[in-house]
mmCIF file of all heavy atoms in Angstrom:
data_model
loop_
_atom_site.group_PDB
_atom_site.id
_atom_site.type_symbol
_atom_site.label_atom_id
_atom_site.label_comp_id
_atom_site.label_asym_id
_atom_site.label_seq_id
_atom_site.Cartn_x
_atom_site.Cartn_y
_atom_site.Cartn_z
ATOM 1 N N MET A 1381 -24.479 9.903 3.778
ATOM 2 C CA MET A 1381 -23.858 9.094 4.721
ATOM 3 C C MET A 1381 -23.169 8.035 4.045
ATOM 4 O O MET A 1381 -23.745 7.361 3.184
ATOM 5 C CB MET A 1381 -25.044 8.531 5.660
ATOM 6 C CG MET A 1381 -24.458 7.522 6.771
ATOM 7 S SD MET A 1381 -25.893 7.421 7.881
ATOM 8 C CE MET A 1381 -25.436 5.880 8.528
ATOM 9 N N ALA A 1382 -21.921 7.708 4.326
ATOM 10 C CA ALA A 1382 -21.082 6.805 3.710
ATOM 11 C C ALA A 1382 -21.258 5.369 4.280
ATOM 12 O O ALA A 1382 -21.390 5.215 5.463
ATOM 13 C CB ALA A 1382 -19.640 7.165 3.789
ATOM 14 N N ASN A 1383 -21.332 4.385 3.394
ATOM 15 C CA ASN A 1383 -21.477 3.059 3.730
ATOM 16 C C ASN A 1383 -20.377 2.250 3.088
ATOM 17 O O ASN A 1383 -20.391 2.154 1.927
ATOM 18 C CB ASN A 1383 -22.838 2.557 3.381
ATOM 19 C CG ASN A 1383 -23.012 0.948 3.906
ATOM 20 O OD1 ASN A 1383 -22.128 0.474 4.551
ATOM 21 N ND2 ASN A 1383 -24.136 0.496 3.625
ATOM 22 N N TYR A 1384 -19.437 1.774 3.910
ATOM 23 C CA TYR A 1384 -18.211 1.079 3.382
ATOM 24 C C TYR A 1384 -18.391 -0.470 3.355
ATOM 25 O O TYR A 1384 -17.365 -1.073 3.273
ATOM 26 C CB TYR A 1384 -16.928 1.560 3.993
ATOM 27 C CG TYR A 1384 -16.746 2.963 3.647
ATOM 28 C CD1 TYR A 1384 -16.806 3.925 4.801
ATOM 29 C CD2 TYR A 1384 -16.403 3.419 2.495
ATOM 30 C CE1 TYR A 1384 -16.704 5.366 4.485
ATOM 31 C CE2 TYR A 1384 -16.198 4.813 2.258
ATOM 32 C CZ TYR A 1384 -16.368 5.643 3.226
ATOM 33 O OH TYR A 1384 -16.147 6.993 3.003
ATOM 34 N N ASN A 1385 -19.467 -0.991 3.817
ATOM 35 C CA ASN A 1385 -19.719 -2.420 3.926
ATOM 36 C C ASN A 1385 -18.809 -3.131 4.749
ATOM 37 O O ASN A 1385 -18.248 -4.084 4.531
ATOM 38 C CB ASN A 1385 -19.668 -3.122 2.502
ATOM 39 C CG ASN A 1385 -20.816 -2.644 1.640
ATOM 40 O OD1 ASN A 1385 -21.873 -2.296 2.095
ATOM 41 N ND2 ASN A 1385 -20.498 -2.543 0.316
ATOM 42 N N CYS A 1386 -18.510 -2.533 5.947
ATOM 43 C CA CYS A 1386 -17.683 -3.029 6.967
ATOM 44 C C CYS A 1386 -18.578 -3.569 8.126
ATOM 45 O O CYS A 1386 -18.748 -2.854 9.130
ATOM 46 C CB CYS A 1386 -16.625 -2.034 7.433
ATOM 47 S SG CYS A 1386 -15.513 -1.559 6.184
ATOM 48 N N THR A 1387 -19.178 -4.718 7.914
ATOM 49 C CA THR A 1387 -20.150 -5.126 8.943
ATOM 50 C C THR A 1387 -19.521 -6.086 9.967
ATOM 51 O O THR A 1387 -19.984 -6.159 11.108
ATOM 52 C CB THR A 1387 -21.326 -5.809 8.315
ATOM 53 O OG1 THR A 1387 -20.817 -6.891 7.465
ATOM 54 C CG2 THR A 1387 -22.056 -4.855 7.423
ATOM 55 N N THR A 1388 -18.493 -6.863 9.615
ATOM 56 C CA THR A 1388 -17.881 -7.876 10.547
ATOM 57 C C THR A 1388 -16.838 -7.311 11.346
ATOM 58 O O THR A 1388 -16.722 -7.786 12.463
ATOM 59 C CB THR A 1388 -17.448 -8.980 9.729
ATOM 60 O OG1 THR A 1388 -16.380 -8.570 8.793
ATOM 61 C CG2 THR A 1388 -18.471 -9.800 8.934
ATOM 62 N N LYS A 1389 -16.055 -6.385 10.902
ATOM 63 C CA LYS A 1389 -15.098 -5.827 11.749
ATOM 64 C C LYS A 1389 -14.820 -4.314 11.256
ATOM 65 O O LYS A 1389 -15.205 -3.908 10.195
ATOM 66 C CB LYS A 1389 -13.795 -6.615 11.774
ATOM 67 C CG LYS A 1389 -13.204 -6.622 10.392
ATOM 68 C CD LYS A 1389 -11.820 -7.414 10.492
ATOM 69 C CE LYS A 1389 -11.187 -7.444 9.195
ATOM 70 N NZ LYS A 1389 -9.961 -8.087 9.118
ATOM 71 N N ARG A 1390 -14.122 -3.652 12.203
ATOM 72 C CA ARG A 1390 -13.941 -2.190 11.844
ATOM 73 C C ARG A 1390 -12.925 -2.173 10.754
ATOM 74 O O ARG A 1390 -11.881 -2.756 10.810
ATOM 75 C CB ARG A 1390 -13.528 -1.460 13.113
ATOM 76 C CG ARG A 1390 -13.259 0.000 12.908
ATOM 77 C CD ARG A 1390 -13.656 0.681 14.257
ATOM 78 N NE ARG A 1390 -13.361 2.136 14.185
ATOM 79 C CZ ARG A 1390 -14.171 2.908 13.709
ATOM 80 N NH1 ARG A 1390 -15.392 2.566 13.328
ATOM 81 N NH2 ARG A 1390 -13.841 4.212 13.664
ATOM 82 N N CYS A 1391 -13.028 -1.324 9.771
ATOM 83 C CA CYS A 1391 -12.110 -1.039 8.596
ATOM 84 C C CYS A 1391 -10.945 -0.306 9.190
ATOM 85 O O CYS A 1391 -11.070 0.639 9.999
ATOM 86 C CB CYS A 1391 -12.778 -0.399 7.495
ATOM 87 S SG CYS A 1391 -13.872 -1.369 6.623
ATOM 88 N N SER A 1392 -9.772 -0.756 8.796
ATOM 89 C CA SER A 1392 -8.681 -0.049 9.188
ATOM 90 C C SER A 1392 -7.738 0.320 7.984
ATOM 91 O O SER A 1392 -7.242 -0.513 7.171
ATOM 92 C CB SER A 1392 -7.810 -0.983 10.009
ATOM 93 O OG SER A 1392 -6.426 -0.497 10.246
ATOM 94 N N PHE A 1393 -7.696 1.594 7.667
ATOM 95 C CA PHE A 1393 -6.927 2.145 6.622
ATOM 96 C C PHE A 1393 -5.710 2.810 7.120
ATOM 97 O O PHE A 1393 -5.788 3.513 8.052
ATOM 98 C CB PHE A 1393 -7.777 3.223 5.815
ATOM 99 C CG PHE A 1393 -8.991 2.648 5.195
ATOM 100 C CD1 PHE A 1393 -10.326 2.878 5.755
ATOM 101 C CD2 PHE A 1393 -8.905 1.718 4.043
ATOM 102 C CE1 PHE A 1393 -11.393 2.268 5.258
ATOM 103 C CE2 PHE A 1393 -10.092 1.057 3.587
ATOM 104 C CZ PHE A 1393 -11.381 1.453 4.159
ATOM 105 N N LYS A 1394 -4.590 2.633 6.517
ATOM 106 C CA LYS A 1394 -3.332 3.042 7.012
ATOM 107 C C LYS A 1394 -2.597 3.815 5.875
ATOM 108 O O LYS A 1394 -2.467 3.245 4.751
ATOM 109 C CB LYS A 1394 -2.539 1.880 7.533
ATOM 110 C CG LYS A 1394 -1.596 2.247 8.581
ATOM 111 C CD LYS A 1394 -0.964 0.957 9.120
ATOM 112 C CE LYS A 1394 0.513 0.882 8.881
ATOM 113 N NZ LYS A 1394 1.128 -0.366 9.283
ATOM 114 N N HIS A 1395 -2.084 4.945 6.125
ATOM 115 C CA HIS A 1395 -1.315 5.739 5.240
ATOM 116 C C HIS A 1395 0.023 5.189 5.143
ATOM 117 O O HIS A 1395 0.603 4.499 6.039
ATOM 118 C CB HIS A 1395 -1.176 7.247 5.497
ATOM 119 C CG HIS A 1395 -2.451 7.818 5.535
ATOM 120 N ND1 HIS A 1395 -3.091 8.334 4.418
ATOM 121 C CD2 HIS A 1395 -3.356 8.241 6.499
ATOM 122 C CE1 HIS A 1395 -4.172 9.006 4.553
ATOM 123 N NE2 HIS A 1395 -4.469 8.829 5.874
ATOM 124 N N LEU A 1396 0.786 5.428 4.043
ATOM 125 C CA LEU A 1396 2.190 5.022 3.957
ATOM 126 C C LEU A 1396 3.055 5.826 4.769
ATOM 127 O O LEU A 1396 2.785 7.101 4.716
ATOM 128 C CB LEU A 1396 2.662 4.984 2.388
ATOM 129 C CG LEU A 1396 1.941 4.110 1.531
ATOM 130 C CD1 LEU A 1396 2.386 4.542 0.015
ATOM 131 C CD2 LEU A 1396 2.243 2.726 1.829
ATOM 132 N N ASN A 1397 3.972 5.316 5.466
ATOM 133 C CA ASN A 1397 4.955 6.191 6.155
ATOM 134 C C ASN A 1397 6.025 6.676 5.393
ATOM 135 O O ASN A 1397 6.251 6.148 4.142
ATOM 136 C CB ASN A 1397 5.319 5.602 7.450
ATOM 137 C CG ASN A 1397 6.034 4.136 7.301
ATOM 138 O OD1 ASN A 1397 6.888 4.133 6.207
ATOM 139 N ND2 ASN A 1397 5.814 3.193 8.162
ATOM 140 N N ALA A 1398 6.916 7.523 5.865
ATOM 141 C CA ALA A 1398 7.977 7.990 5.108
ATOM 142 C C ALA A 1398 9.021 6.984 4.663
ATOM 143 O O ALA A 1398 9.526 6.866 3.439
ATOM 144 C CB ALA A 1398 8.761 9.045 5.921
ATOM 145 N N TYR A 1399 9.316 5.961 5.517
ATOM 146 C CA TYR A 1399 10.142 4.830 5.107
ATOM 147 C C TYR A 1399 9.643 4.118 3.883
ATOM 148 O O TYR A 1399 10.367 3.776 2.978
ATOM 149 C CB TYR A 1399 10.269 3.931 6.322
ATOM 150 C CG TYR A 1399 11.054 2.631 5.969
ATOM 151 C CD1 TYR A 1399 12.382 2.544 5.848
ATOM 152 C CD2 TYR A 1399 10.282 1.439 5.671
ATOM 153 C CE1 TYR A 1399 13.090 1.426 5.451
ATOM 154 C CE2 TYR A 1399 10.965 0.271 5.297
ATOM 155 C CZ TYR A 1399 12.399 0.274 5.197
ATOM 156 O OH TYR A 1399 13.106 -0.847 4.827
ATOM 157 N N GLU A 1400 8.340 3.741 3.954
ATOM 158 C CA GLU A 1400 7.732 2.989 2.860
ATOM 159 C C GLU A 1400 7.719 3.841 1.558
ATOM 160 O O GLU A 1400 7.936 3.260 0.454
ATOM 161 C CB GLU A 1400 6.213 2.649 3.160
ATOM 162 C CG GLU A 1400 6.111 1.608 4.283
ATOM 163 C CD GLU A 1400 4.733 1.383 4.785
ATOM 164 O OE1 GLU A 1400 3.976 2.414 4.960
ATOM 165 O OE2 GLU A 1400 4.320 0.217 4.871
ATOM 166 N N ARG A 1401 7.438 5.148 1.682
ATOM 167 C CA ARG A 1401 7.559 5.941 0.507
ATOM 168 C C ARG A 1401 8.974 5.950 -0.147
ATOM 169 O O ARG A 1401 9.122 6.015 -1.325
ATOM 170 C CB ARG A 1401 7.103 7.362 0.804
ATOM 171 C CG ARG A 1401 5.510 7.501 1.124
ATOM 172 C CD ARG A 1401 5.187 8.890 1.541
ATOM 173 N NE ARG A 1401 3.884 8.892 2.028
ATOM 174 C CZ ARG A 1401 2.869 9.001 1.270
ATOM 175 N NH1 ARG A 1401 2.910 9.137 -0.078
ATOM 176 N NH2 ARG A 1401 1.550 9.000 1.772
ATOM 177 N N GLY A 1402 9.966 5.996 0.713
ATOM 178 C CA GLY A 1402 11.310 6.081 0.262
ATOM 179 C C GLY A 1402 11.699 4.658 -0.331
ATOM 180 O O GLY A 1402 12.320 4.656 -1.396
ATOM 181 N N LYS A 1403 11.239 3.716 0.232
ATOM 182 C CA LYS A 1403 11.455 2.253 -0.300
ATOM 183 C C LYS A 1403 10.812 2.156 -1.715
ATOM 184 O O LYS A 1403 11.455 1.605 -2.566
ATOM 185 C CB LYS A 1403 10.976 1.210 0.661
ATOM 186 C CG LYS A 1403 11.338 -0.178 0.410
ATOM 187 C CD LYS A 1403 12.727 -0.382 0.878
ATOM 188 C CE LYS A 1403 13.006 -1.914 0.679
ATOM 189 N NZ LYS A 1403 14.351 -2.262 0.878
ATOM 190 N N ILE A 1404 9.662 2.625 -1.851
ATOM 191 C CA ILE A 1404 8.896 2.583 -3.118
ATOM 192 C C ILE A 1404 9.761 3.312 -4.169
ATOM 193 O O ILE A 1404 9.918 2.818 -5.283
ATOM 194 C CB ILE A 1404 7.433 3.148 -2.975
ATOM 195 C CG1 ILE A 1404 6.625 2.146 -2.145
ATOM 196 C CG2 ILE A 1404 6.844 3.285 -4.354
ATOM 197 C CD1 ILE A 1404 5.372 2.753 -1.697
ATOM 198 N N ALA A 1405 10.145 4.459 -3.832
ATOM 199 C CA ALA A 1405 10.905 5.427 -4.750
ATOM 200 C C ALA A 1405 12.139 4.672 -5.171
ATOM 201 O O ALA A 1405 12.534 4.668 -6.376
ATOM 202 C CB ALA A 1405 11.168 6.701 -4.107
ATOM 203 N N ALA A 1406 12.855 4.045 -4.280
ATOM 204 C CA ALA A 1406 14.134 3.453 -4.481
ATOM 205 C C ALA A 1406 13.910 2.143 -5.425
ATOM 206 O O ALA A 1406 14.606 1.965 -6.336
ATOM 207 C CB ALA A 1406 14.889 2.980 -3.256
ATOM 208 N N LEU A 1407 12.881 1.401 -5.025
ATOM 209 C CA LEU A 1407 12.603 0.125 -5.891
ATOM 210 C C LEU A 1407 12.138 0.585 -7.238
ATOM 211 O O LEU A 1407 12.467 -0.175 -8.263
ATOM 212 C CB LEU A 1407 11.589 -0.696 -5.059
ATOM 213 C CG LEU A 1407 12.159 -1.367 -3.808
ATOM 214 C CD1 LEU A 1407 11.020 -2.174 -3.108
ATOM 215 C CD2 LEU A 1407 13.381 -2.266 -4.241
ATOM 216 N N LEU A 1408 11.421 1.553 -7.458
ATOM 217 C CA LEU A 1408 10.930 2.008 -8.755
ATOM 218 C C LEU A 1408 12.169 2.461 -9.627
ATOM 219 O O LEU A 1408 12.127 2.128 -10.750
ATOM 220 C CB LEU A 1408 9.872 3.168 -8.620
ATOM 221 C CG LEU A 1408 8.473 2.755 -8.256
ATOM 222 C CD1 LEU A 1408 7.559 3.872 -7.971
ATOM 223 C CD2 LEU A 1408 7.852 1.808 -9.291
ATOM 224 N N LYS A 1409 13.091 3.205 -8.983
ATOM 225 C CA LYS A 1409 14.215 3.662 -9.695
ATOM 226 C C LYS A 1409 15.023 2.472 -10.129
ATOM 227 O O LYS A 1409 15.728 2.589 -11.174
ATOM 228 C CB LYS A 1409 15.071 4.453 -8.682
ATOM 229 C CG LYS A 1409 16.065 5.374 -9.439
ATOM 230 C CD LYS A 1409 16.709 6.377 -8.503
ATOM 231 C CE LYS A 1409 17.677 7.196 -9.253
ATOM 232 N NZ LYS A 1409 18.222 8.331 -8.448
ATOM 233 N N GLU A 1410 15.107 1.343 -9.331
ATOM 234 C CA GLU A 1410 15.714 0.188 -9.776
ATOM 235 C C GLU A 1410 15.085 -0.604 -10.846
ATOM 236 O O GLU A 1410 15.583 -1.599 -11.379
ATOM 237 C CB GLU A 1410 15.980 -0.842 -8.573
ATOM 238 C CG GLU A 1410 16.931 -0.229 -7.543
ATOM 239 C CD GLU A 1410 17.012 -1.171 -6.302
ATOM 240 O OE1 GLU A 1410 16.542 -2.470 -6.462
ATOM 241 O OE2 GLU A 1410 17.587 -0.788 -5.313
ATOM 242 N N GLY A 1411 13.790 -0.160 -11.244
ATOM 243 C CA GLY A 1411 13.122 -0.864 -12.230
ATOM 244 C C GLY A 1411 12.201 -1.935 -11.763
ATOM 245 O O GLY A 1411 11.724 -2.804 -12.636
ATOM 246 N N LYS A 1412 12.046 -2.090 -10.538
ATOM 247 C CA LYS A 1412 11.205 -3.249 -9.969
ATOM 248 C C LYS A 1412 9.718 -2.979 -10.272
ATOM 249 O O LYS A 1412 9.261 -1.795 -10.475
ATOM 250 C CB LYS A 1412 11.295 -3.287 -8.447
ATOM 251 C CG LYS A 1412 12.715 -3.589 -8.009
ATOM 252 C CD LYS A 1412 13.255 -4.965 -8.441
ATOM 253 C CE LYS A 1412 14.646 -5.160 -7.901
ATOM 254 N NZ LYS A 1412 15.246 -6.300 -8.478
ATOM 255 N N SER A 1413 8.947 -3.964 -10.430
ATOM 256 C CA SER A 1413 7.494 -3.901 -10.768
ATOM 257 C C SER A 1413 6.695 -3.456 -9.537
ATOM 258 O O SER A 1413 7.074 -3.662 -8.366
ATOM 259 C CB SER A 1413 6.981 -5.248 -11.305
ATOM 260 O OG SER A 1413 6.828 -6.185 -10.236
ATOM 261 N N ILE A 1414 5.467 -2.979 -9.843
ATOM 262 C CA ILE A 1414 4.444 -2.537 -8.769
ATOM 263 C C ILE A 1414 4.153 -3.686 -7.890
ATOM 264 O O ILE A 1414 4.200 -3.610 -6.801
ATOM 265 C CB ILE A 1414 3.283 -1.922 -9.430
ATOM 266 C CG1 ILE A 1414 3.497 -0.648 -10.195
ATOM 267 C CG2 ILE A 1414 2.331 -1.670 -8.427
ATOM 268 C CD1 ILE A 1414 4.051 0.578 -9.410
ATOM 269 N N ARG A 1415 3.938 -4.804 -8.599
ATOM 270 C CA ARG A 1415 3.537 -6.139 -7.769
ATOM 271 C C ARG A 1415 4.669 -6.505 -6.875
ATOM 272 O O ARG A 1415 4.464 -7.033 -5.834
ATOM 273 C CB ARG A 1415 3.083 -7.216 -8.732
ATOM 274 C CG ARG A 1415 1.766 -6.900 -9.362
ATOM 275 C CD ARG A 1415 1.275 -8.032 -9.967
ATOM 276 N NE ARG A 1415 -0.086 -7.858 -10.665
ATOM 277 C CZ ARG A 1415 -1.269 -7.970 -9.967
ATOM 278 N NH1 ARG A 1415 -1.172 -8.241 -8.780
ATOM 279 N NH2 ARG A 1415 -2.353 -7.673 -10.602
ATOM 280 N N TYR A 1416 5.899 -6.504 -7.344
ATOM 281 C CA TYR A 1416 7.066 -6.862 -6.592
ATOM 282 C C TYR A 1416 7.171 -5.932 -5.321
ATOM 283 O O TYR A 1416 7.305 -6.491 -4.111
ATOM 284 C CB TYR A 1416 8.346 -6.835 -7.382
ATOM 285 C CG TYR A 1416 9.547 -6.948 -6.548
ATOM 286 C CD1 TYR A 1416 9.997 -8.353 -6.277
ATOM 287 C CD2 TYR A 1416 10.241 -5.994 -6.154
ATOM 288 C CE1 TYR A 1416 11.134 -8.605 -5.626
ATOM 289 C CE2 TYR A 1416 11.497 -6.233 -5.383
ATOM 290 C CZ TYR A 1416 11.910 -7.560 -5.082
ATOM 291 O OH TYR A 1416 13.011 -7.685 -4.356
ATOM 292 N N ILE A 1417 7.024 -4.671 -5.585
ATOM 293 C CA ILE A 1417 7.170 -3.702 -4.411
ATOM 294 C C ILE A 1417 6.017 -3.911 -3.424
ATOM 295 O O ILE A 1417 6.173 -3.953 -2.196
ATOM 296 C CB ILE A 1417 7.135 -2.273 -4.928
ATOM 297 C CG1 ILE A 1417 8.313 -2.117 -5.834
ATOM 298 C CG2 ILE A 1417 7.014 -1.177 -3.761
ATOM 299 C CD1 ILE A 1417 8.280 -0.787 -6.638
ATOM 300 N N ALA A 1418 4.858 -4.157 -3.916
ATOM 301 C CA ALA A 1418 3.650 -4.518 -3.064
ATOM 302 C C ALA A 1418 3.837 -5.631 -2.146
ATOM 303 O O ALA A 1418 3.672 -5.665 -0.938
ATOM 304 C CB ALA A 1418 2.420 -4.602 -3.966
ATOM 305 N N LYS A 1419 4.478 -6.725 -2.713
ATOM 306 C CA LYS A 1419 4.736 -7.862 -1.851
ATOM 307 C C LYS A 1419 5.788 -7.678 -0.900
ATOM 308 O O LYS A 1419 5.752 -8.068 0.302
ATOM 309 C CB LYS A 1419 5.211 -9.087 -2.816
ATOM 310 C CG LYS A 1419 4.030 -9.662 -3.565
ATOM 311 C CD LYS A 1419 4.516 -10.856 -4.455
ATOM 312 C CE LYS A 1419 3.355 -11.519 -5.171
ATOM 313 N NZ LYS A 1419 3.653 -12.574 -5.939
ATOM 314 N N GLN A 1420 6.854 -6.850 -1.227
ATOM 315 C CA GLN A 1420 7.921 -6.518 -0.340
ATOM 316 C C GLN A 1420 7.329 -5.702 0.937
ATOM 317 O O GLN A 1420 7.810 -5.904 2.052
ATOM 318 C CB GLN A 1420 9.076 -5.702 -0.983
ATOM 319 C CG GLN A 1420 9.729 -6.481 -2.055
ATOM 320 C CD GLN A 1420 10.416 -7.721 -1.497
ATOM 321 O OE1 GLN A 1420 11.260 -7.606 -0.672
ATOM 322 N NE2 GLN A 1420 10.180 -8.852 -2.030
ATOM 323 N N LEU A 1421 6.364 -4.875 0.643
ATOM 324 C CA LEU A 1421 5.865 -4.038 1.654
ATOM 325 C C LEU A 1421 4.501 -4.533 2.346
ATOM 326 O O LEU A 1421 4.015 -3.838 3.102
ATOM 327 C CB LEU A 1421 5.741 -2.579 1.188
ATOM 328 C CG LEU A 1421 6.886 -1.851 0.701
ATOM 329 C CD1 LEU A 1421 6.516 -0.553 0.083
ATOM 330 C CD2 LEU A 1421 7.896 -1.665 1.847
ATOM 331 N N ALA A 1422 4.081 -5.629 1.867
ATOM 332 C CA ALA A 1422 2.794 -6.207 2.287
ATOM 333 C C ALA A 1422 1.723 -5.235 2.105
ATOM 334 O O ALA A 1422 0.897 -5.059 3.089
ATOM 335 C CB ALA A 1422 2.954 -6.700 3.769
ATOM 336 N N ARG A 1423 1.634 -4.592 0.945
ATOM 337 C CA ARG A 1423 0.612 -3.604 0.686
ATOM 338 C C ARG A 1423 -0.154 -4.103 -0.701
ATOM 339 O O ARG A 1423 0.439 -4.959 -1.527
ATOM 340 C CB ARG A 1423 1.107 -2.303 0.419
ATOM 341 C CG ARG A 1423 1.863 -1.594 1.668
ATOM 342 C CD ARG A 1423 0.662 -1.371 2.582
ATOM 343 N NE ARG A 1423 1.294 -0.556 3.690
ATOM 344 C CZ ARG A 1423 0.570 0.395 4.185
ATOM 345 N NH1 ARG A 1423 -0.565 0.666 3.895
ATOM 346 N NH2 ARG A 1423 1.208 1.084 5.244
ATOM 347 N N ALA A 1424 -1.317 -3.607 -0.986
ATOM 348 C CA ALA A 1424 -1.948 -3.901 -2.204
ATOM 349 C C ALA A 1424 -1.245 -3.120 -3.415
ATOM 350 O O ALA A 1424 -0.655 -1.939 -3.151
ATOM 351 C CB ALA A 1424 -3.351 -3.329 -2.176
ATOM 352 N N PRO A 1425 -1.171 -3.714 -4.584
ATOM 353 C CA PRO A 1425 -0.548 -3.042 -5.651
ATOM 354 C C PRO A 1425 -1.118 -1.639 -6.030
ATOM 355 O O PRO A 1425 -0.471 -0.758 -6.396
ATOM 356 C CB PRO A 1425 -0.727 -4.000 -6.893
ATOM 357 C CG PRO A 1425 -0.842 -5.429 -6.159
ATOM 358 C CD PRO A 1425 -1.573 -5.070 -4.904
ATOM 359 N N SER A 1426 -2.398 -1.510 -5.865
ATOM 360 C CA SER A 1426 -3.166 -0.360 -6.159
ATOM 361 C C SER A 1426 -2.624 0.780 -5.107
ATOM 362 O O SER A 1426 -2.500 1.973 -5.581
ATOM 363 C CB SER A 1426 -4.733 -0.472 -5.976
ATOM 364 O OG SER A 1426 -5.012 -0.852 -4.718
ATOM 365 N N THR A 1427 -2.173 0.416 -4.000
ATOM 366 C CA THR A 1427 -1.675 1.482 -3.032
ATOM 367 C C THR A 1427 -0.402 1.889 -3.476
ATOM 368 O O THR A 1427 -0.057 3.066 -3.494
ATOM 369 C CB THR A 1427 -1.478 0.811 -1.672
ATOM 370 O OG1 THR A 1427 -2.717 0.456 -1.185
ATOM 371 C CG2 THR A 1427 -0.903 1.832 -0.622
ATOM 372 N N ILE A 1428 0.445 0.983 -4.000
ATOM 373 C CA ILE A 1428 1.775 1.292 -4.578
ATOM 374 C C ILE A 1428 1.665 2.204 -5.680
ATOM 375 O O ILE A 1428 2.371 3.205 -5.929
ATOM 376 C CB ILE A 1428 2.642 0.182 -4.881
ATOM 377 C CG1 ILE A 1428 2.565 -0.822 -3.747
ATOM 378 C CG2 ILE A 1428 4.004 0.478 -5.356
ATOM 379 C CD1 ILE A 1428 3.159 -0.259 -2.407
ATOM 380 N N SER A 1429 0.761 1.814 -6.717
ATOM 381 C CA SER A 1429 0.670 2.691 -7.898
ATOM 382 C C SER A 1429 0.199 4.061 -7.760
ATOM 383 O O SER A 1429 0.426 4.975 -8.516
ATOM 384 C CB SER A 1429 -0.233 1.894 -8.953
ATOM 385 O OG SER A 1429 -1.646 1.901 -8.377
ATOM 386 N N ARG A 1430 -0.586 4.298 -6.660
ATOM 387 C CA ARG A 1430 -1.088 5.620 -6.357
ATOM 388 C C ARG A 1430 -0.008 6.416 -5.708
ATOM 389 O O ARG A 1430 -0.109 7.692 -5.739
ATOM 390 C CB ARG A 1430 -2.264 5.536 -5.469
ATOM 391 C CG ARG A 1430 -3.589 4.966 -6.136
ATOM 392 C CD ARG A 1430 -4.726 5.014 -5.200
ATOM 393 N NE ARG A 1430 -5.653 4.119 -5.613
ATOM 394 C CZ ARG A 1430 -6.223 3.250 -4.786
ATOM 395 N NH1 ARG A 1430 -6.135 3.210 -3.636
ATOM 396 N NH2 ARG A 1430 -7.215 2.337 -5.427
#
């Protein structure tokens, strides 16, 4: 049984959509950093790096 320590509210995980994936690819090609891209898309840097 998995326990994700979500006691106060329901955890909400969201996949990247096609637009976000395209934006990530374009920004990486321009040489932008992972942290810069994460801020632009309001996502965690670890999400972008994966």
Side-chain angles (χ1 to χ4, degrees):
M1381 185 164 152
N1383 182 4
Y1384 296 110
N1385 294 326
C1386 297
T1387 57
T1388 57
K1389 64 179 181 175
R1390 186 144 173 89
C1391 286
S1392 169
F1393 300 103
K1394 208 170 116 183
H1395 293 279
L1396 294 171
N1397 60 37
Y1399 171 79
E1400 290 172 316
R1401 291 176 189 273
K1403 189 78 171 170
I1404 291 167
L1407 291 171
L1408 284 172
K1409 194 171 185 178
E1410 290 178 14
K1412 302 295 183 187
S1413 72
I1414 296 293
R1415 288 190 180 276
Y1416 174 83
I1417 297 169
K1419 284 183 182 181
Q1420 294 299 308
L1421 297 176
R1423 296 291 190 141
S1426 60
T1427 301
I1428 306 304
S1429 68
R1430 290 184 199 134

